[in-house]
Structures are given as structure tokens and as C-alpha cells.
Amino acid sequence: MAATTLYQSVGTLQSCRNNGNSGLCPDYGHVSFRSVSKGFKVDVGLLRGGSFCSRKRSTCVIQASASQATVFDEASAPSSATTSDSNKKTSEAALILIRHGESMWNEKNLFTGCVDVPLTTKGVEEAVEAGKRISNIPVDMIYTSALIRAQMTAMLAMTQHRRKKVPTIIHEESEQAGAWSQIFSEDTNMQCIPVVTAWQLNERMYGELQGLNKQETADKYGSEQVHEWRRSYDIPPPNGESLEMCAERAVAYFTEHIEPQLASGKNIMIAAHGNSLRSIIMYLDKLTSQEVISLELATGIPMLYIFKEGRFIRRGSPPAPTEATVYAYTKGFAFS
């Protein structure tokens, strides 16, 4: 019954999208479902807000403020498995994706790309809010880009986490850096979460547009040309990267380094950027090059996937932490 209710909600979200090029969906009520075989229960209060839904699939992308949330795309119906079946261990892991909070160049409407700028006060608040949303989801490893705005977002988010483990950046840029950052207490090490930084997860390099004002650039080159540079899949800005080029490095890194960690049962958080995360979502959701160019990710809104039996299942965005919404993980994502 609960799973049926949830699928009805998703169907409503899809139908509101089919009436035009874009749309905001109305309010929804409370949905609850349980997967008995995993002992997994989620109670979600669905909030007023907008979701951008593709015409061809049930994918919903957050285009909302930090107080809004989407429904899950797929629910696990109650299982009729026997007690012995329910006790079988299956490989299941959480993957959390977070686009960094607002940066100081986002605020100034400048092309940022690979220029390394920090968060604004609003960006800090968005990162903290993201942390509250994922505070009940276990995190075993964190991957970020090499840029400070993504690293700040990851660190600030983890200050809100229930486990209170300390994220510690792994320094492997030199043998000396690795030796000097070594932790010698086993107990302390057990209370840390390793953070791996990788340039492959950086925002796409905007070439000669970096540092330019977006509106002034549109006035100079024409809005159609700037839109092509920003939103086409395979056309790069002058001396920069296209989304296709960004996807080549980001997805290759994901499949080589991150996916094996998920397959081993580790719960992973990635804090990165609009374009590198769009590239990874394109891979996870099997989007076409035409579908991905319309994909928009809001700053500071986490997205949750479940990796199970070699498949990625989108769970949407964990709801904002309010008295009206409860996001509780029991057996299956139990805290150690």
C-alpha cells in the first residue's frame, strides 16, 4: 500500500511535467515505506516545492531552495522473503552527491571554472543545511575536487553528522606530505573519515571566460553564443572544456576509483561542482547527451543513490530536517 502511494506521487510528478517544457509540481503529503528484507524504513514528509522532470524518464532534479525536497524515484515494496532470506547479506551502499554551496564568484555572477574561490556566507549556510539533511546517512569515505569551495562544503556538511567522525584530507602529493600527515593512534584513526581530493572532479575549465561577468559576456558575444558555450554538450568555450570533455575525466575517475569502493559496501559522499556532477549523474542515470544539457543542480542540495547489485537507484534528495519530516535509517544503514 505504501509503495503504491509512493508510485502514485511519482506519477503525479511526471504528469505535471508532460504539460509543458517545464513545470512546478504541487504539494504532496506524507509517504512511508519499508523494505522488510533489509529492515530499511524511510518516513518522508514531502514539502511544497518544484521538481524538474524529464519527459522521457522519472528523473527529478532539484530546482528549489534548501527548504524543498523531491520524492524518491523508486521505492522498495514490502518483501515476502522468509526469515532466512531476509538475513542474507547483500552488497548495498549509499552514494551522496552534493554540489558546493554558493561561491563568492557565483554571487558576483562571474564564470568560475577552475579558479579556486571560497564560499560566501550563504554558501556556508547551504553546506551546513546539506549536512543536516544527510546527518543520518553513514559516510565511510569522502571525495572532493581539488577546489576549496567543494572541500569547504564537504567539511562543513560533516560538522552536522550524527557520527561526529572527523573528516581528514589524505595528502599524497609527496612522500613527505603523506608521512607528515600520518595518524599514529588506532582509536583516533577509527574516528576519522578519509577525504580524497581529485582534480578530475573539478568544475569544467571555462577557458578564456573565467573571471568574466556572465551578463557582460552575453552582451558582448550574444546570448545565443554564451548559451551554447554553457549548455551545449560538445562545444567548448574558447580554450576551455566542453561538458563532454569534463565528463571524460570525471566519469573515468568515478568508475576507476569510486565505484569499486561502493561495490565493496562503503558509503561514499562526493562534494564537487555543477558540471562534474552532471557528468557523473549522466553515467548513473544513463542520460543521453540531449537530456544532460537540461540537467540543473542547485547549490547545497544533496542527492542520494543506493548502489545495489551493480545498479544505481536514485532516491532523490533527503528532506530538510524539520519536525514534520523524519528521515530515519534502521537496519541496512545502521550506525556502527
Side-chain angles (χ1 to χ4, degrees), residues 181-250:
S181 60
Q182 186 174 351
I183 299 171
F184 291 94
S185 167
E186 183 176 349
D187 289 341
T188 301
N189 198 49
M190 292 292 290
Q191 293 302 312
C192 294
I193 299 177
V195 180
V196 179
T197 62
W199 70 266
Q200 292 92 334
L201 298 176
N202 281 14
E203 178 60 286
R204 74 178 171 116
M205 204 275 280
Y206 267 100
E208 294 176 15
L209 300 185
Q210 291 185 171
L212 301 184
N213 181 276
K214 293 176 182 177
Q215 184 57 54
E216 292 175 0
T217 304
D219 293 341
K220 181 177 180 179
Y221 294 101
S223 57
E224 289 186 9
Q225 176 63 77
V226 173
H227 181 78
E228 186 176 66
W229 285 333
R230 296 186 65 190
R231 288 295 177 259
S232 64
Y233 182 68
D234 56 0
I235 300 176
N239 293 317
E241 284 185 308
S242 64
L243 178 57
E244 182 179 34
M245 296 162 70
C246 178
E248 287 177 0
R249 59 172 165 85

Side-chain angles (χ1 to χ4, degrees), residues 11-300:
T12 306
L13 278 172
Q14 291 173 312
S15 65
C16 79
R17 174 63 183 89
N18 291 335
N19 293 327
N21 293 329
S22 63
L24 292 179
C25 304
D27 293 6
Y28 297 98
H30 191 82
V31 174
S32 175
F33 67 88
R34 178 194 299 270
S35 173
V36 175
S37 62
K38 288 297 294 178
F40 177 85
K41 179 181 179 183
V42 178
D43 295 305
V44 182
L46 301 177
L47 307 179
R48 175 187 293 271
S51 298
F52 185 95
C53 305
S54 167
R55 273 182 284 206
K56 297 183 180 179
R57 56 183 64 238
S58 62
T59 301
C60 293
V61 180
I62 296 295
Q63 282 188 318
S65 69
S67 64
Q68 298 171 327
T70 69
V71 300
F72 296 151
D73 288 343
E74 184 172 343
S76 299
S79 171
S80 59
T82 63
T83 303
S84 60
D85 289 337
S86 66
N87 290 331
K88 290 181 180 178
K89 181 176 178 59
T90 60
S91 177
E92 185 169 310
L95 172 64
I96 304 165
L97 307 179
I98 305 178
R99 183 187 174 192
H100 64 81
E102 182 189 66
S103 76
M104 295 183 74
W105 277 17
N106 290 148
E107 183 183 45
K108 293 178 180 294
N109 200 32
L110 304 180
F111 286 101
T112 310
C114 288
V115 180
D116 208 359
V117 298
L119 301 179
T120 61
T121 299
K122 177 183 176 182
V124 169
E125 293 170 351
E126 288 177 332
V128 170
E129 175 69 15
K132 292 177 180 177
R133 287 174 178 246
I134 64 168
S135 62
N136 286 326
I137 306 175
V139 177
D140 300 310
M141 288 188 68
I142 299 171
Y143 289 85
T144 79
S145 76
L147 302 174
I148 191 64
R149 57 191 184 273
Q151 295 175 26
M152 287 178 70
T153 298
M155 297 299 191
L156 288 165
M158 292 309 295
T159 65
Q160 305 301 307
H161 204 268
R162 174 181 165 187
R163 275 183 169 173
K164 300 301 181 185
K165 289 190 174 183
V166 179
T168 55
I169 294 178
I170 305 301
H171 287 282
E172 297 180 331
E173 57 268 30
S174 69
E175 184 177 345
Q176 184 180 52
W180 283 13
S181 60
Q182 186 174 351
I183 299 171
F184 291 94
S185 167
E186 183 176 349
D187 289 341
T188 301
N189 198 49
M190 292 292 290
Q191 293 302 312
C192 294
I193 299 177
V195 180
V196 179
T197 62
W199 70 266
Q200 292 92 334
L201 298 176
N202 281 14
E203 178 60 286
R204 74 178 171 116
M205 204 275 280
Y206 267 100
E208 294 176 15
L209 300 185
Q210 291 185 171
L212 301 184
N213 181 276
K214 293 176 182 177
Q215 184 57 54
E216 292 175 0
T217 304
D219 293 341
K220 181 177 180 179
Y221 294 101
S223 57
E224 289 186 9
Q225 176 63 77
V226 173
H227 181 78
E228 186 176 66
W229 285 333
R230 296 186 65 190
R231 288 295 177 259
S232 64
Y233 182 68
D234 56 0
I235 300 176
N239 293 317
E241 284 185 308
S242 64
L243 178 57
E244 182 179 34
M245 296 162 70
C246 178
E248 287 177 0
R249 59 172 165 85
V251 174
Y253 185 86
F254 180 87
T255 57
E256 182 179 353
H257 297 278
I258 301 176
E259 196 165 342
Q261 299 289 352
L262 291 162
S264 71
K266 290 186 178 179
N267 303 300
I268 305 296
M269 183 174 84
I270 303 176
H273 308 266
N275 284 296
S276 55
L277 289 178
R278 288 167 72 207
S279 301
I280 291 172
I281 291 172
M282 181 182 181
Y283 168 75
L284 300 178
D285 288 349
K286 297 179 173 56
L287 302 179
T288 67
S289 58
Q290 287 302 307
E291 289 172 321
V292 75
I293 61 177
S294 63
L295 183 66
E296 295 289 344
L297 300 178
T299 55

